[in-house]
Amino acid sequence: MAIKKQYLKSKPVCKVTFTVPAEEAKKVAVVGDFNNWNPKGSTLKKLKNGTFKGTFELPKENSYEFRYLIDSNYINDSEADRYQWNDYAGTENAVLEV
């Protein structure tokens, strides 16, 4: 898994690209507090090499809890900036700092 951040000089946003190697998966989405944990509109596109990839513009100077939704299973990113316990989910969520 990989997270790439590209800060824009023209706007107060960061382009964040999520890459998830999941050859066997049918559907992968990134969900978090930046999209109200809703997978609609945050589905990653499957590439020919079997990885899923998507880029989103997120407001800078924030931190966001997120997870990947891979065929109905929630997975954390091993390359997240940090992890934070979430009482509602009863587990740790990955955290992205932008």
Side-chain angles (χ1 to χ4, degrees), residues 1-4 16-22 27-30 41-56 68:
M1 295 182 203
I3 301 170
K4 181 182 168 195
V16 182
T17 301
F18 298 95
T19 306
V20 181
K27 191 173 182 183
V28 177
V30 61
S42 63
T43 303
L44 305 182
K45 183 179 178 183
K46 189 168 189 173
L47 305 178
K48 288 182 181 178
N49 65 2
T51 58
F52 288 78
K53 193 173 190 176
T55 302
F56 304 91
Y68 295 116

Side-chain angles (χ1 to χ4, degrees), residues 14 36 55:
C14 178
N36 294 318
T55 302

Side-chain angles (χ1 to χ4, degrees), residues 8-72:
L8 302 182
K9 293 179 182 174
S10 59
K11 293 194 268 184
V13 298
C14 178
K15 279 187 161 186
V16 182
T17 301
F18 298 95
T19 306
V20 181
E23 288 182 36
E24 305 300 318
K26 289 182 173 55
K27 191 173 182 183
V28 177
V30 61
V31 294
D33 41 14
F34 52 85
N35 64 4
N36 294 318
W37 298 89
N38 186 346
K40 288 189 175 174
S42 63
T43 303
L44 305 182
K45 183 179 178 183
K46 189 168 189 173
L47 305 178
K48 288 182 181 178
N49 65 2
T51 58
F52 288 78
K53 193 173 190 176
T55 302
F56 304 91
E57 288 188 0
L58 302 178
K60 287 194 311 190
E61 299 175 9
N62 287 298
S63 62
Y64 302 97
E65 288 186 39
F66 77 100
R67 298 188 92 186
Y68 295 116
L69 185 57
I70 302 175
D71 290 342
S72 302

